[in-house]
Amino acid sequence: MLGKRSNKASVETESPVSVPGPQHVAIIMDGNGRWAQKKGKIRTFGHKAGVESVRAVVRFARQNDIKSLTLFAFSSENWKRPEEEVSVLMELFNLVLNNEAKRLHKNGVRLKVIGDVSAFDDKLKEKIRKAEDMTAENEALVLNIAANYGGRWDIVNAAQQLANEVVTGAVSIEDINESLFDSKMSTADLPELDLLIRTGGEHRISNFLLWQCAYAELFFTDVLWPDFSEEVFQEAVDDFKRRQRRFGLTGDQVDVIAK
Ligand code: FPP
């Protein structure tokens, strides 16, 4: 199990001179529709092309010692898209699970789906369960696919779990603190989110990992998702390494701790 780093520990161990790369990266894969439309194709052509970028980022993450990669594949709000587009996204999801699960397993990648999977059809739910079971012991990388995911859903879900535990007496109200709350989030057991990348030019979080973004570094690029490459990923990581993460301290305090 991957331990969660506390913010304090990160400050104490991370020198601004030789900053380690991010352990947990999340990506909002935006711009598939515009990429396709620019080429005179229908939007779903862009989603299909986006799968190649997913392969590229998984490869990059494995080669660069990133321990956890969380991809926003389908938000709780995406159901409102045209029926045809939703159904292509579901087909793609099925296809990726069919075609990639074994390859991920061979490469030591653990696949996890975060989000409200209860909304998916039984066939998809079964494929998710099988892929998660098959890869459960892998440790090279945790690939989290956020599907029917919303940051507010994640927080409400954690609150419901805690409320239940208060009702059963397993937890008292006084026991509820950030760390206990965090342990109920869908990303519990993963390292703290270090870096959030959004492609496609928009500068917003769009109800992605709201709780987890508290101290994440944000990187926005105009590159549309199907054009996202290992080079752009490297640019984001290099940019991350140049940042001074202060976690509420002053820059001078961080410098002293790092010496
Ligand atoms: C946002 O682009 C992208 C999505 C809603 C879907 C992302 C899905 C994939 C990359 C393929 C499947 C991946 C996995 C992991 C199964 P957009 O349609 O909002 O683009 P736009 O802003 O140009 O309209």
Side-chain angles (χ1 to χ4, degrees):
M1 190 168 97
L2 293 160
K4 188 153 285 198
R5 289 165 300 147
S6 77
N7 294 339
K8 190 163 175 289
S10 304
V11 170
E12 282 166 0
T13 55
E14 289 175 9
S15 149
V17 180
S18 161
V19 184
Q23 285 195 31
H24 184 176
V25 179
I27 308 182
I28 300 178
M29 310 180 285
D30 197 16
N32 292 346
R34 278 167 288 158
W35 183 89
Q37 280 160 345
K38 270 168 102 178
K39 293 185 162 1
K41 309 263 187 191
I42 53 168
R43 294 175 50 80
T44 49
F45 183 74
H47 296 315
K48 288 175 188 161
V51 174
E52 196 43 56
S53 301
V54 171
R55 287 196 192 99
V57 292
V58 171
R59 207 161 42 230
F60 181 92
R62 282 199 62 250
Q63 287 164 358
N64 288 274
D65 223 22
I66 291 168
K67 290 288 160 214
S68 178
L69 179 65
T70 302
L71 304 179
F72 205 4
F74 193 83
S75 80
S76 342
E77 290 75 32
N78 285 156
W79 295 108
K80 297 179 202 143
R81 290 192 174 200
E83 213 179 303
E84 150 82 3
E85 184 168 341
V86 171
S87 97
V88 167
L89 282 167
M90 292 301 137
E91 267 170 42
L92 263 188
F93 205 13
N94 264 295
L95 211 75
V96 167
L97 288 166
N98 276 345
N99 299 347
E100 309 288 336
K102 279 198 187 118
R103 195 178 344 184
L104 290 171
H105 185 45
K106 244 180 34 208
N107 285 294
V109 178
R110 176 175 183 189
L111 184 89
K112 281 184 65 166
V113 174
I114 59 169
D116 185 5
V117 289
S118 69
F120 295 133
D121 66 39
D122 289 345
K123 200 173 86 183
L124 185 51
K125 275 192 279 204
E126 180 60 10
K127 278 193 188 139
I128 291 171
R129 194 193 57 75
K130 277 194 175 150
E132 286 185 332
D133 286 354
M134 175 171 70
T135 61
E137 305 299 322
N138 295 340
E139 290 184 344
L141 168 73
V142 183
L143 173 63
N144 296 297
I145 304 293
N148 195 22
Y149 177 88
R152 289 180 177 174
W153 166 84
D154 206 356
I155 293 167
V156 169
N157 193 45
Q160 281 180 346
Q161 289 179 59
L162 282 171
N164 259 321
E165 290 180 16
V166 169
V167 169
T168 63
V171 161
S172 72
I173 290 179
E174 295 70 36
D175 290 337
I176 300 175
N177 56 25
E178 288 184 18
S179 151
L180 186 63
F181 206 98
D182 194 65
S183 73
K184 305 296 177 193
M185 302 298 294
S186 62
T187 48
D189 298 346
L190 300 174
E192 189 91 25
L193 180 63
D194 292 314
L195 173 63
L196 173 76
I197 298 171
R198 180 175 188 141
T199 63
E202 309 290 1
H203 292 193
R204 53 178 172 252
I205 297 181
S206 298
N207 196 20
F208 195 23
L209 301 161
L210 299 179
W211 169 271
Q212 297 83 347
C213 272
Y215 281 102
E217 299 296 326
L218 309 182
F219 181 88
F220 298 101
T221 171
D222 289 339
V223 171
L224 303 174
W225 179 248
D227 288 332
F228 193 80
S229 58
E230 280 148 296
E231 287 71 34
V232 191
F233 204 160
Q234 186 63 58
E235 201 187 304
V237 168
D238 290 344
D239 184 77
F240 171 87
K241 288 181 174 177
R242 286 192 293 271
R243 309 243 183 126
Q244 186 191 48
R245 305 188 76 195
R246 292 196 283 277
F247 301 103
L249 303 182
T250 67
D252 288 347
Q253 284 176 304
V254 174
D255 285 344
V256 168
I257 290 165
K259 276 184 191 145

